[in-house]
Amino acid sequence: MVNLKPCHAALKPSSCVKSKPCRRLYHSYEHERPPPFVPAESRILSAALSHVPTHGFATAALTQGARDAGYLDVSTNLFPTGPFSIVNYHLVTQRLALAKDAPSTNNNPNNISENIRTLALRRLHANKPIIHRWQEALSLMTTPTHLPTSLRELALLSDEFLFLAGSTDVTSTWYTNRAGLAAIYASAELYMTTDMSKDFVETEEFLTRRLEEGEKIKGLVGSVGAWAGMQASGLVDGLRSKGIWI
Amino acid sequence: MARSGRPRLIRVDQIAILLLCVYRTLALCSRQRTLTAMNTASALRAVYRPALRQNSPICDFLLPSFTHSQSRKEYASVTTSSASPKTEPAPETLNSRSTAKRRRPLSTEQQQFLDSALRVNQAGELAATLIYTHQTLPITRRHPHLRPLMHHMYSQEAGHFSTFNAMLTRHRVRPTAMYPIWTAAASTLGWVTGLMGREAAMACTEAVETEIGGHYNGQVRVLLSWVKQMEEKGEEVGEEMRELVDTLKRVRDEELEHLDEAVGEGAKEARPYELLNRAIRSGCKGAIWISEKV
């Protein structure tokens, strides 16, 4: 017999799902960030996630999860976003889990692209248990109500990949790198939902090809910029040598 | 300013200074009618500062303080300070070598402050390095004796820039989205003032370093107030906070050193000094405000 606790006793709405901090925060190494979900929410949502393979991203999974965690069925009312809260929980926990396994990627700290590939693959493989239901999650994420939250999670994930891979760019390429990587990861995740190969090797190859293309484009843009800069400074130096005062 | 107990008689040279200041104020106001009260106040303070150093009750009567605490809200929260070095608090905890961690985590407001502060600092150093890069060639062509000075100032700014780049990477602070725009603006500013001549280039440096020095000073003030709060609660300050305060103090001192060097090389002789000074300082203030947000 499940011990049914009254829902008002222990549950408090988490500030995370409803109103994430809109601004980035300085990351301190002296203290851990507070956990993104309160313990009660965390228990319900992780239990609900385990029911997603059978029930999909639906209220049924959430209800089952509440029951498993020992709360009343009606406690799902504490998740106003409904099944999207399970999606959000999965996104946030998998992103934070990347940092825990990060030391293994620092075997080659100089090869940032290789590290990015390893991290992206690890994150893609984390979708494996629920990949047959992921298209439901994607449709939930793209509804107008939840789109800003989903895009923010994608941006945070992209930032996590680049930080853990050891990228040290803090010029305007900070933005272009993250935007490009977010697009590549999103396309790979979408591809993975239709991938029927064994152990998702085709997704791996897809990701590798996209990352290589991304590198090529970055190199091309960088080369064009360098060429234009050299032409301009050559012109200015040439004019200066002729005595023109510039 | 220290004052003696009994009032002193007014001297003739003090009267002359006062009249000169009044004349300059009138000239200033007539040329720049669009100044806000705040800008007028700071301009007046800058003009009257030599006179204010004379101890006289007449100075207090004729030149009352124009600033009041509400005026600071007009500016970005990390700017402005007019405290002198001797009045800077030097808490004991900053000198301790303990490696214990800070007792409690930084609050959200503190983290947001540090986030925007580091972003603005990086943008400021980017602009400074670009200004010096583009000023060096025209200036050293005409004044080869300035080559060591320009090189010294540039290398210090480049050091600051790499310090802040490392801090941004480590603490996951995003750089300003206006990066390409500040690159273009700073390069143009350096180039144009370099072509205008030595005095104009030094006036540009003076204006930029005044703003940046005041801005770093404000940040050091905020951080020291946090340290004071931690001390009052008897909490450990932590290595991170100590390093941050030390870095900002060092950078601020070097920037103010550049300011003195620029003034020494004829910044005040630039024509048009007031216009250059005002325009560049306003531009810096605007850039600081934008970089905090964007």
Side-chain angles (χ1 to χ4, degrees):
Chain A
M1 177 71 176
V2 177
N3 179 22
L4 297 173
K5 297 181 205 133
C7 62
H8 61 268
L11 290 172
K12 271 187 224 138
S14 148
S15 58
C16 260
V17 176
K18 293 206 181 94
S19 58
K20 275 192 172 38
C22 295
R23 296 177 61 184
R24 295 173 62 91
L25 297 176
Y26 168 93
H27 174 74
S28 168
Y29 289 84
E30 290 191 346
H31 291 275
E32 292 284 326
R33 280 258 174 99
F37 299 101
V38 294
E41 252 190 7
S42 195
R43 274 198 298 271
I44 296 182
L45 289 171
S46 59
L49 198 55
S50 63
H51 287 286
V52 162
T54 39
H55 296 115
F57 285 97
T59 325
L62 207 49
T63 320
Q64 279 293 323
R67 275 192 212 143
D68 287 356
Y71 294 95
L72 295 169
D73 286 2
V74 76
S75 48
T76 55
N77 286 339
L78 280 157
F79 300 108
T81 49
F84 179 71
S85 47
I86 315 178
V87 179
N88 184 60
Y89 177 80
H90 175 74
L91 293 175
V92 172
T93 47
Q94 291 305 329
R95 171 170 57 89
L96 296 174
L98 284 173
K100 292 194 186 70
D101 302 326
S104 63
T105 55
N106 286 343
N107 291 335
N108 41 359
N110 292 330
N111 194 349
I112 294 173
S113 359
E114 193 51 47
N115 287 343
I116 292 174
R117 186 176 165 277
T118 314
L119 285 161
L121 274 175
R122 196 185 305 149
R123 178 61 186 82
L124 285 170
H125 282 296
N127 284 346
K128 265 200 294 204
I130 48 171
I131 194 65
H132 54 288
R133 298 289 190 181
W134 195 245
Q135 285 187 346
E136 292 168 33
L138 287 172
S139 62
L140 276 170
M141 284 199 276
T142 49
T143 57
T145 333
H146 304 133
L147 192 59
T149 317
S150 322
L151 287 175
R152 185 173 165 76
E153 272 303 317
L154 182 60
L156 288 173
L157 181 66
S158 176
D159 180 48
E160 195 80 25
F161 284 151
L162 280 161
F163 174 70
L164 292 173
S167 161
T168 52
D169 269 327
V170 279
T171 64
S172 44
T173 52
W174 189 95
Y175 292 89
T176 54
N177 282 348
R178 276 152 180 78
L181 187 55
I184 291 172
Y185 175 79
S187 62
E189 206 179 52
L190 184 59
Y191 183 86
M192 197 174 163
T193 59
T194 61
D195 186 12
M196 295 299 152
S197 62
K198 188 173 179 314
D199 210 27
F200 299 102
V201 286
E202 279 179 26
T203 307
E204 215 172 293
E205 285 164 15
F206 179 89
L207 180 71
T208 311
R209 280 197 304 270
R210 295 288 86 74
L211 285 171
E212 278 169 11
E213 281 169 13
E215 291 290 319
K216 270 191 210 141
I217 292 174
K218 207 164 72 162
L220 181 69
V221 170
S223 305
V224 168
W227 175 86
M230 306 264 304
Q231 292 295 318
S233 48
L235 180 68
V236 167
D237 286 340
L239 289 173
R240 278 178 181 157
S241 69
K242 294 288 175 205
I244 297 176
W245 189 251
I246 50 164
Chain B
M1 255 185 323
R3 290 194 199 296
S4 63
R6 56 179 177 81
R8 294 189 203 152
L9 293 173
I10 308 160
R11 301 198 313 257
V12 174
D13 55 351
Q14 283 179 323
I15 297 176
I17 289 168
L18 280 171
L19 287 173
L20 187 64
C21 293
V22 168
Y23 166 75
R24 283 183 70 186
T25 314
L26 290 173
L28 198 75
C29 290
S30 66
R31 255 183 286 158
Q32 288 157 337
R33 292 177 200 286
T34 55
L35 283 177
T36 61
M38 197 46 216
N39 283 344
T40 317
S42 42
L44 284 169
R45 246 185 304 136
V47 158
Y48 294 151
R49 203 163 280 141
L52 283 171
R53 287 200 199 106
Q54 314 276 344
N55 290 342
S56 165
I58 289 295
C59 288
D60 281 337
F61 170 66
L62 284 177
L63 310 169
S65 169
F66 291 96
T67 60
H68 44 93
S69 55
Q70 287 90 351
S71 64
R72 295 215 187 273
K73 281 197 200 128
E74 276 190 36
Y75 289 72
S77 59
V78 292
T79 62
T80 73
S81 167
S82 51
S84 79
K86 288 189 192 58
T87 62
E88 182 164 75
E92 277 309 308
T93 49
L94 285 181
N95 296 331
S96 84
R97 290 276 159 265
S98 111
T99 50
K101 281 205 285 196
R102 197 171 49 239
R103 164 91 76 82
R104 66 172 83 205
L106 294 171
S107 70
T108 310
E109 290 78 21
Q110 288 177 325
Q111 285 181 309
Q112 282 172 354
F113 175 84
L114 285 174
D115 186 69
S116 35
L118 289 175
R119 177 162 51 252
V120 176
N121 293 353
Q122 191 231 17
E125 298 304 337
L126 165 74
T129 44
L130 286 169
I131 289 174
Y132 285 130
T133 311
H134 288 84
Q135 271 182 353
T136 302
L137 201 82
I139 297 303
T140 52
R141 251 188 316 190
R142 276 199 281 203
H143 309 275
H145 69 279
L146 286 177
R147 203 184 296 272
L149 176 68
M150 295 298 294
H151 177 74
H152 164 72
M153 295 204 290
Y154 172 78
S155 55
Q156 279 190 324
E157 297 294 357
H160 299 166
F161 189 45
S162 54
T163 305
F164 286 120
N165 281 347
M167 285 177 88
L168 255 69
T169 308
R170 188 171 148 73
H171 295 291
R172 305 183 70 169
V173 176
R174 72 173 170 86
T176 170
M178 305 284 284
Y179 200 97
I181 300 177
W182 297 154
T183 308
S187 310
T188 313
L189 179 64
W191 197 31
V192 166
T193 50
L195 291 177
M196 279 169 72
R198 173 185 68 110
E199 292 85 9
M202 292 298 150
C204 166
T205 303
E206 185 209 345
V208 171
E209 299 296 3
T210 308
E211 277 313 308
I212 285 188
H215 157 239
Y216 281 131
N217 213 16
Q219 288 182 352
V220 168
R221 200 162 29 109
V222 170
L223 256 57
L224 286 175
S225 75
W226 294 353
V227 167
K228 182 158 169 279
Q229 276 172 6
M230 288 182 205
E231 263 183 354
E232 276 164 9
K233 292 184 188 149
E235 287 173 4
E236 179 60 43
V237 168
E239 195 57 41
E240 205 174 63
M241 193 56 60
R242 271 198 287 272
E243 269 174 23
L244 204 53
V245 174
D246 283 341
T247 307
L248 287 178
K249 274 193 190 172
R250 176 180 62 86
V251 171
R252 177 208 49 194
D253 293 340
E254 287 172 4
E255 300 291 356
L256 292 176
E257 197 187 280
H258 294 174
L259 170 62
D260 293 335
E261 283 163 358
V263 171
E265 281 296 332
K268 305 256 187 228
E269 285 136 36
R271 297 276 167 277
Y273 174 74
E274 299 295 351
L275 179 66
L276 267 178
N277 190 276
R278 288 266 141 240
I280 295 173
R281 283 180 60 184
S282 309
C284 282
K285 285 192 177 70
I288 288 173
W289 186 83
I290 293 174
S291 299
E292 279 180 348
K293 313 274 185 291
V294 175

